[in-house]
Amino acid sequence: MQATNIVILAAGNGSRMKSDLPKVLHQVAGQAMVDWVIDAVQPLKPNKILTVTGVGAERVQDHLAGKTDFVIQEKQLGTGHAVLQTKAALADSQGATLILSGDTPLFTTETLQALLNEHSRTKNAVTVLTAKADNPTGYGRIVRGDDGMVLKIVEEKDASVTERRIEEINTGVYIFDNQLLFQALSQVGNDNVQQEYYLPDTLDILRGMGKQIGAYQTLDFSESMGVNDRVALAQANQIMRNRINQMHMKNGVELVAPDQTFIDAGVVIGKDTLIEGNVTLKGQTVIGRDNVLTAGTRIEDSTIGDGNVITSSHLEEAVVKDRTTIGPYAHLRPAAEIMDEAHLGNFVEVKKATIGQGSKVGHLSYVGNAKLGADVNVGAGTIFVNYDGVNKFDTTVGDRVFIGSNTKIIAPVTLADESITAAGSTITDDVATHAMGIARTRQTNKADFWDRMPHKKG
């Protein structure tokens, strides 16, 4: 196989996206579109990857730093003009150059490898990747001669009525003999409706030079989808998420409602985990085996062990060990760590805190900036008061501590092993082992107070 360079076109302004974000940085299934393109071409082991940037160049270059080299297209004058910007870097290179757009995130490595193989086998000057579309509106059409050879590619805006009826479309992916590419680009003109320099015009030029033009048709039209607006972005997301979901199901994950399950590309899930509908798993989340995630759960950049049941809860940058029960409606915020066999009930929030092995935070409680030992019982309505308006303070709770309902723990404070707080207390001082902290006023009853109530007055 001949050496291959990759050129990724990412200079367009994406005006139809109606966004300040460069088009190629819009996300599909948790990563930027251009990242999907990079992921698809890297296994081809290219000699060089060059990305042509323009609008939003700095943001695109910052995002892709270390993955590709860059050239800038100062004025967006068409795809031919964009590729010509790579001449200084590639003109002396031998072998082939594969060109594709940064807003086509659905191409697979397998399809691109098949295109490279076809190009190498046929020794074409250029091989175009095509697809058959039931509705080709918006795509350039592949015009073939009677012998089936590719005559030209015509953009829809420049196509005749007859040419617009053609169903074979240009996917925007080409592989050229590198030396012939730049010879042809030097002859491309801009005599068209847009007054742009079109890369497909090189085909006519190469044919005029007596060179062979070829095409390879992919069987999966969906791969060719270019994302030019939010409608197409949603469609690309659905296609990619279907791929991701199918991959997890084939690996032993049970998705009860795949069409309502949203899993990002970077998520890892162990077998025999059951995921109900309306679950979202984002970022670099890792989930172990034999878990149950019920409807409404959202987990982002978190690590989940084995055998947990997470019910309709929200986790972000949290760590959950094994055999825990969480929720419903628990919220684990960054740096929450839940140890084996712990339990968090409904409407419990945990932030920058460790809940020890076998400990229970039943419901309606907040635990922040705290370390709880093993087998702690936290009563309903308990608040770890960790912020004085300027600084955060820590609380330490030992093993087998019993915290009564509606306790307010004012940090910094330590509750030693096997200590107790009385329900309704406001704890401001340490509580020693086996001691009970009580901090509440003694109850006073007012006799005959009912008669003083406003509703009793005439």
Side-chain angles (χ1 to χ4, degrees):
M1 181 71 67
Q2 58 187 325
T4 304
N5 299 306
I6 307 292
V7 173
I8 299 172
L9 305 181
N13 61 14
S15 58
R16 282 180 282 174
M17 296 295 287
K18 293 182 169 56
S19 173
D20 294 331
L21 184 69
K23 180 170 67 169
V24 298
L25 297 186
H26 282 266
Q27 290 200 344
V28 170
Q31 66 180 32
M33 289 193 284
V34 71
D35 287 332
W36 285 107
V37 177
I38 294 285
D39 287 349
V41 301
Q42 280 181 333
L44 304 176
K45 298 180 179 178
N47 178 56
K48 182 177 289 189
I49 302 177
L50 271 175
T51 299
V52 182
T53 61
V55 176
E58 185 174 340
R59 295 179 71 176
V60 175
Q61 291 179 16
D62 286 346
H63 181 84
L64 293 177
K67 297 181 179 180
T68 172
D69 295 327
F70 302 97
V71 297
I72 294 181
Q73 184 187 22
E74 297 288 353
K75 295 182 179 180
Q76 280 65 66
L77 300 177
T79 52
H81 180 262
V83 176
L84 194 58
Q85 308 313 299
T86 69
K87 183 175 181 179
L90 298 181
D92 296 332
S93 180
Q94 302 298 317
T97 294
L98 174 66
I99 301 170
L100 67 170
S101 297
D103 62 358
T104 53
L106 299 175
F107 284 115
T108 64
T109 300
E110 291 74 20
T111 294
L112 298 178
Q113 184 65 67
L115 173 65
L116 265 62
N117 293 344
E118 176 70 6
H119 181 76
S120 179
R121 182 187 68 80
T122 58
K123 296 181 172 54
N124 292 326
V126 55
T127 306
V128 184
L129 183 64
T130 73
K132 185 177 179 181
D134 293 335
N135 178 10
T137 302
Y139 291 91
R141 308 303 203 275
I142 303 297
V143 180
R144 293 180 182 264
D146 294 337
D147 58 359
M149 297 300 291
V150 176
L151 297 178
K152 64 178 180 176
I153 300 172
V154 58
E155 296 297 322
E156 184 172 67
K157 63 180 73 72
D158 300 312
S160 67
V161 172
T162 300
E163 289 168 338
R164 291 188 182 198
R165 296 195 186 101
I166 296 172
E167 293 183 331
E168 187 178 14
I169 59 94
N170 175 23
T171 69
V173 179
Y174 312 82
I175 183 164
F176 285 84
D177 174 281
N178 188 74
Q179 294 294 312
L180 294 174
L181 167 64
F182 290 103
Q183 289 181 38
L185 281 174
S186 66
Q187 301 176 50
V188 171
N190 65 344
D191 184 18
N192 52 64
V193 173
Q194 297 294 105
Q195 293 188 313
E196 293 183 348
Y197 299 87
Y198 292 151
L199 182 61
D201 288 353
T202 57
L203 275 65
D204 248 355
I205 294 167
L206 289 169
R207 182 176 296 99
M209 296 166 58
K211 303 300 181 181
Q212 182 169 294
I213 312 301
Y216 173 79
Q217 186 176 110
T218 179
L219 298 178
D220 187 354
F221 168 73
S222 70
E223 288 191 31
S224 67
M225 178 183 292
V227 177
N228 293 313
D229 57 28
R230 306 284 183 151
V231 174
L233 183 65
Q235 293 169 343
N237 265 286
Q238 187 61 57
I239 292 169
M240 190 64 77
R241 292 193 189 282
N242 287 342
R243 290 184 190 174
I244 292 169
N245 289 354
Q246 288 176 19
M247 179 268 292
H248 285 297
M249 289 188 286
K250 289 177 181 178
N251 289 338
V253 178
E254 183 171 351
L255 303 185
V256 175
D259 291 344
Q260 302 167 31
T261 304
F262 309 96
I263 304 175
D264 277 357
V267 174
V268 176
I269 310 173
K271 68 179 184 179
D272 291 323
T273 285
L274 185 148
I275 301 174
E276 294 183 354
N278 196 28
V279 169
T280 300
L281 306 176
K282 296 183 68 62
Q284 301 304 306
T285 292
V286 176
I287 297 174
R289 301 174 54 167
D290 299 299
N291 295 285
V292 175
L293 311 180
T294 76
T297 293
R298 178 185 177 94
I299 302 176
E300 183 171 357
D301 293 322
S302 297
T303 301
I304 313 298
D306 301 331
N308 302 284
V309 177
I310 300 175
T311 305
S312 305
S313 294
H314 186 176
L315 288 69
E316 48 187 313
E317 298 179 33
V319 174
V320 176
K321 299 296 187 178
D322 301 332
R323 301 178 302 283
T324 70
T325 52
I326 296 173
Y329 312 120
H331 186 187
L332 274 60
R333 294 168 60 195
E337 186 172 12
I338 315 303
M339 307 306 287
D340 294 350
E341 299 172 345
H343 167 70
L344 305 181
N346 50 297
F347 301 105
V348 168
E349 182 172 357
V350 180
K351 177 184 179 292
K352 200 175 182 181
T354 299
I355 309 299
Q357 182 171 349
S359 291
K360 297 177 174 61
V361 185
H363 42 283
L364 300 165
S365 294
Y366 169 71
V367 184
N369 289 82
K371 183 174 182 180
L372 278 60
D375 298 314
V376 173
N377 185 87
V378 179
T382 294
I383 299 173
F384 284 70
V385 184
N386 59 330
Y387 184 47
D388 67 358
V390 179
N391 298 304
K392 297 285 182 73
F393 296 94
D394 295 333
T395 295
T396 301
V397 178
D399 297 338
R400 297 174 299 283
V401 172
F402 185 93
I403 299 175
S405 295
N406 196 32
T407 295
K408 289 182 282 295
I409 301 172
I410 313 297
V413 71
T414 297
L415 307 184
D417 293 349
E418 298 175 351
S419 59
I420 302 168
T421 71
S425 293
T426 298
I427 302 298
T428 58
D429 297 321
D430 295 349
V431 181
T433 299
H434 295 173
M436 179 170 70
I438 305 174
R440 62 193 187 203
T441 60
R442 186 173 296 276
Q443 180 174 327
T444 300
N445 291 338
K446 302 291 187 179
D448 300 321
F449 198 81
W450 177 259
D451 294 333
R452 306 180 196 178
M453 298 296 287
H455 70 273
K456 297 294 290 182
K457 296 179 180 179

